[in-house]
Amino acid sequence: MKKWLIPVGIIAVIAFALYSWAAGFNNSAVKMNEDVSESWGNVQTSYQRRNDLIGNLVNTVKGAADFEKSTLTAVIEARAKATSITVDPKNITPEQLAQFNQAQSGVSSSLSRLLVSVEAYPTLKANENFLKLQDELASTENQILTARTRFNEAIKPFNNHVKTFPNSILAGWFGFEGKPYFDAEPGAAKPVEVKF
């Protein structure tokens, strides 16, 4: 047997092992990245549902009450700002996520002010359409929470995969970076002040 075949065979085995490792890493990272993108799509769908409901809520409130124009305008402007911010889940950065979160927080805040202001209108509170919309909004807020939680759950395995050694070496070569988690909205740690 020829002695030069032994080193060539060893090099071939090592090269195949490295190729298999790199291909396995890349394929797993791509699949996990797609899971993250799908989860982000579900987050956006939940927020879109809320934005669609806001239009109906505003029109119902407008039609049923001689309402404060500034409150309705604030809700409409917050909704417009929130829908103008787009985030690419493939290249999501902490700054983009914070900007998106801040815009959505503005919608939540203006909606809260609207619903508190409605208390002064007994006929509106009894309006069946308004009550249905209010229930839909509450349901949508729960869907948003669930979608955000699932987004974070999809981020964790991806980040574990691309940030652990030796995968972190390949992650840099293949262009995979860790992704930011959804944080609580600013001021969420403070207790809610209820006024009657």
Side-chain angles (χ1 to χ4, degrees):
M1 188 163 151
K2 297 182 181 179
K3 289 186 177 183
W4 65 270
L5 284 177
I6 293 172
V8 170
I10 292 172
I11 291 171
V13 168
I14 291 172
F16 181 74
L18 288 174
Y19 169 78
S20 296
W21 173 53
F25 166 81
N26 186 58
N27 292 342
S28 294
V30 167
K31 288 175 187 173
M32 290 177 188
N33 198 28
E34 286 303 309
D35 289 343
V36 169
S37 296
E38 177 188 22
S39 295
W40 180 250
N42 293 339
V43 168
Q44 289 184 308
T45 300
S46 297
Y47 279 118
Q48 183 60 50
R49 181 172 188 252
R50 177 172 72 173
N51 289 332
D52 294 344
L53 286 172
I54 288 172
N56 293 335
L57 181 68
V58 167
N59 288 334
T60 302
V61 170
K62 248 191 230 177
D66 180 19
F67 207 70
E68 292 179 48
K69 218 174 194 180
S70 62
T71 305
L72 288 174
T73 303
V75 172
I76 294 166
E77 287 173 358
R79 176 184 173 216
K81 183 178 179 186
T83 56
S84 71
I85 296 174
T86 56
V87 176
D88 177 12
K90 302 236 187 265
N91 300 315
I92 196 167
T93 64
E95 294 80 22
Q96 288 176 326
L97 199 56
Q99 185 183 20
F100 180 84
N101 207 16
Q102 185 178 14
Q104 295 302 332
S105 178
V107 173
S108 297
S109 175
S110 60
L111 265 178
S112 296
R113 284 194 305 275
L114 173 67
L115 294 175
V116 166
S117 299
V118 162
E119 294 296 318
Y121 296 90
T123 55
L124 180 58
K125 288 191 312 189
N127 181 312
E128 190 176 322
N129 290 337
F130 178 77
L131 294 174
K132 283 181 186 175
L133 283 168
Q134 209 171 6
D135 287 343
E136 285 291 321
L137 276 172
S139 169
T140 300
E141 292 299 325
N142 286 333
Q143 286 179 358
I144 289 170
L145 173 63
T146 301
R148 287 173 58 153
T149 301
R150 289 186 179 150
F151 175 75
N152 283 346
E153 288 170 354
I155 291 282
K156 184 179 180 180
F158 176 82
N159 283 350
N160 286 340
H161 186 67
V162 300
K163 289 182 174 183
T164 55
F165 184 81
N167 289 352
S168 57
I169 296 168
L170 289 179
W173 289 346
F174 287 118
F176 291 107
E177 295 179 14
K179 298 185 183 292
Y181 289 96
F182 243 119
D183 289 329
E185 292 178 0
K190 296 177 188 170
V192 177
E193 187 178 328
V194 180
K195 294 180 182 177
F196 294 102

